[in-house]
Amino acid sequence: MKLYLSSGIWAELAHRRTRIVLGVLLVAGITVSLMGLRLGSYDLAWGRFFATLWGGGEDMGRMVLFDLRLPRALVALGAGAALATAGAIFQSLSRNPLASPDIIGLTTGSATGALVTILWLGDQALNVPLGALVGGLATVMLVYLFSLQRGMHGQRLVLIGLAIAAMLASVNDFLMTRAELDQALAAKMWLHGSLQGSGWLQAQRLGLGCAVLLPLAWLLNPRLRMLEMGDELATSLGLNVGRSHAYLTLVAVGLTALAIACAGPIGFIALAAPQLARRLCRASGIGLWSAALMGAVLCASADLLARLMLAPFQIPVGLVTSALGGAYLVYLLAREWRSQDL
């Protein structure tokens, strides 16, 4: 019981280096968000920017700042935090740094569910989130069904997830061929993970979802810490392993589906953010708070690059994260091969 409580939600903050990293990430997130709000095709000098931010300035400046850039910045921060927390949960459950929603097919499955609703039911208020959630849950059930043969194994989970993700990607391509031209173009842009066009509707959906699911993930953190030690040891300490796996998986699927429904399938944030945060904190396990903040900073930074790199033309944020995350995946695979784990 003492171990259960000591690994609770506040245990991460008891580590001095982790508190410093959290502070640095918080400042970085605020800085990147302010730059994203100020910079763009309608450039605001710092004086005009702060005047507009406090309610002054011109009508055009207020419209650009509050109706276009502010909801987009909030969606970037929320989607990054949700994806990174989901990645931290899956990596901790499987005890494998490669087991993120991108790799095990959850992101592709959620995209399949969302794509079906966009193409056949239309982008109504609840269609896309529900489609992404159903697609994600079905994919996770399929991956776990095959992975649990002869016991749970992290590498088997990754390999089966890669295979199912490849099959679902072909399903997504098939769905695109059955769509009307304008639907296919819109869906293709969405599949790359674009924040262009994100408004207050997406920001409100994401905010409400994160307000429910992120505290749930933090409350389940003690169970996650115990599961990291192995199922047998966790059982001996009195933890119901099956029920804990189910709770944590549901929360991770919900966070992934929420982010995908609001921002599209943004790749590699869930893979890279938890591991980068763990290395910065030099902690033995993955901290959910530090992972969430790292994901928010990475997603906001990638969106700023996507907006400014080829300005005035904007590219989907998913292309930026995939380009950077691909290099990180090569590093992770090389590291696994050196350790003879693959």
Side-chain angles (χ1 to χ4, degrees):
M1 187 65 179
K2 183 179 178 181
L3 177 62
Y4 189 88
L5 291 175
S6 66
S7 60
I9 188 171
W10 303 112
E12 191 178 349
L13 299 178
H15 190 228
R16 181 174 177 273
R17 185 179 175 88
T18 299
R19 291 199 302 273
I20 295 173
V21 171
L22 288 173
V24 171
L25 289 174
L26 188 61
V27 172
I30 293 172
T31 304
V32 171
S33 298
L34 287 176
M35 290 177 65
L37 291 175
R38 191 184 84 81
L39 300 175
S41 54
Y42 185 85
D43 195 27
L44 289 165
W46 282 111
R48 286 175 57 206
F49 168 71
F50 283 114
T52 308
L53 197 62
W54 304 133
E58 305 165 353
D59 291 341
M60 177 63 77
R62 285 196 296 273
M63 189 272 289
V64 169
L65 187 59
F66 292 112
D67 295 342
L68 300 179
R69 293 180 184 171
L70 183 56
R72 178 171 179 158
L74 293 175
V75 171
L77 292 172
L83 288 171
T85 304
I89 291 174
F90 277 115
Q91 289 174 4
S92 296
L93 283 178
S94 62
R95 296 183 288 280
N96 189 323
L98 292 172
S100 76
D102 307 314
I103 305 298
I104 65 172
L106 173 57
T107 303
T108 312
S110 291
T112 303
L115 199 55
V116 167
T117 59
I118 289 174
L119 297 180
W120 290 348
L121 302 178
D123 185 9
Q124 302 300 320
L126 292 176
N127 285 348
V128 177
L130 286 178
L133 182 62
V134 171
L137 281 173
T139 305
V140 165
M141 288 174 63
L142 200 59
V143 171
Y144 270 79
L145 183 67
F146 288 109
S147 304
L148 287 174
Q149 302 290 329
R150 290 178 294 177
M152 179 73 179
H153 194 287
Q155 290 177 16
R156 190 182 303 126
L157 181 79
V158 170
L159 292 174
I160 291 174
L162 282 170
I164 291 179
M167 288 188 286
L168 288 173
S170 66
V171 172
N172 291 348
D173 289 338
F174 171 75
L175 290 173
M176 298 284 289
T177 64
R178 309 302 300 172
E180 300 291 337
L181 181 60
D182 55 341
Q183 286 181 317
L185 289 174
K188 191 70 178 175
M189 178 65 76
W190 181 85
L191 278 174
H192 286 304
S194 176
L195 295 177
Q196 191 172 1
S198 295
W200 282 111
L201 177 62
Q202 289 80 9
Q204 288 168 355
R205 287 179 185 174
L206 199 54
L208 288 173
C210 285
V212 174
L213 292 173
L214 286 180
L216 275 179
W218 293 329
L219 288 174
L220 291 169
N221 197 35
R223 295 172 184 259
L224 192 61
R225 298 281 79 81
M226 294 176 74
L227 289 171
E228 281 181 341
M229 296 185 290
D231 290 353
E232 292 184 2
L233 183 54
T235 302
S236 68
L237 292 172
L239 183 71
N240 187 322
V241 171
R243 191 176 297 171
S244 300
H245 266 284
Y247 290 159
L248 285 160
T249 301
L250 278 175
V251 171
V253 170
L255 285 168
T256 306
L258 177 70
I260 291 174
C262 296
I266 301 174
F268 290 101
I269 296 288
L271 173 72
Q275 294 300 318
L276 291 174
R278 186 175 71 84
R279 281 166 172 74
L280 281 178
C281 295
R282 294 181 185 171
S284 56
I286 301 174
L288 295 187
W289 289 42
S290 53
L293 270 178
M294 176 62 79
V297 172
L298 287 180
C299 195
S301 303
D303 184 48
L304 185 61
L305 277 176
R307 283 178 48 206
L308 301 180
M309 198 160 47
L310 300 176
F313 179 72
Q314 297 187 24
I315 59 176
V317 64
L319 293 183
V320 177
T321 58
S322 296
L324 299 177
Y328 180 72
L329 180 60
V330 170
Y331 161 75
L332 270 185
L333 289 172
R335 188 167 169 271
E336 291 292 310
W337 281 326
R338 280 200 301 271
S339 65
Q340 297 181 344
D341 284 334
L342 281 177

